[in-house]
Amino acid sequence: MDRSLDVGHVAETLPDLWQALEDPRLRPFGLVGGVGLLAVGAVLSLAPTSGTSAFWSNAVAATLVFVGVPLFCLGLAAREPASDSWFHIGVDLSTKQRQAVAIGTFCITLAPIVMVLGSPLGLKTVVLATAATMTFVGSALILTGFVAWTAETLAEPGSN
């Protein structure tokens, strides 16, 4: 069997999730991908539609925006690249702050999936409450990471 098809070999060579968050290449992917999804979702939501196409247009637009915002946040939280990069913007979170943003991003991205998979079960109130809670917790984690970084940056003696 080819080594690329061997599950054990592939599992051993995969990077740790926390190590992947330390990769500065995540910043361009997150920022460009997030802004791209947000732009497409915004344009799609502005397109005039009627009838059944209106529902699908709005559903796709909402999904793109719902995935674009966490992707943008993940890109913003990624490790700061070299100073000559186009994506060097001065936001460099600590490892714990980056992990909080990543977990929050995962919670927000998972909420629509919970809605889609759970709604046919007939427990609409429970599914809606679960998705709303996941989104709230995810948003709180993302804000916690960025607010903690802002507080640390403002508290540094040389930042005045």
Side-chain angles (χ1 to χ4, degrees), residues 87-111:
F87 297 98
H88 180 78
I89 53 179
V91 176
D92 196 15
L93 278 65
S94 71
T95 302
K96 292 284 185 192
Q97 293 162 348
R98 196 171 293 113
Q99 289 173 353
V101 171
I103 292 168
T105 299
F106 179 71
C107 288
I108 290 175
T109 306
L110 198 59

Side-chain angles (χ1 to χ4, degrees), residues 10 21 23-24 27 37 48 52 55 83 90 109 112 117-118 120 124 127-133 136-137 141 147-148:
V10 171
L21 290 173
D23 191 352
R27 174 153 299 168
L37 289 176
T52 54
F55 169 77
S83 60
T109 306
L117 296 177
K124 292 184 181 188
V127 170
L128 183 61
T130 303
T133 302
F136 179 76
V137 169
L141 285 170
V147 168

Side-chain angles (χ1 to χ4, degrees), residues 60-81:
V60 170
T63 303
L64 291 175
V65 169
F66 215 80
V67 172
V69 169
L71 184 60
F72 177 78
C73 290
L74 191 61
L76 191 61
R79 177 149 317 273
E80 188 77 0

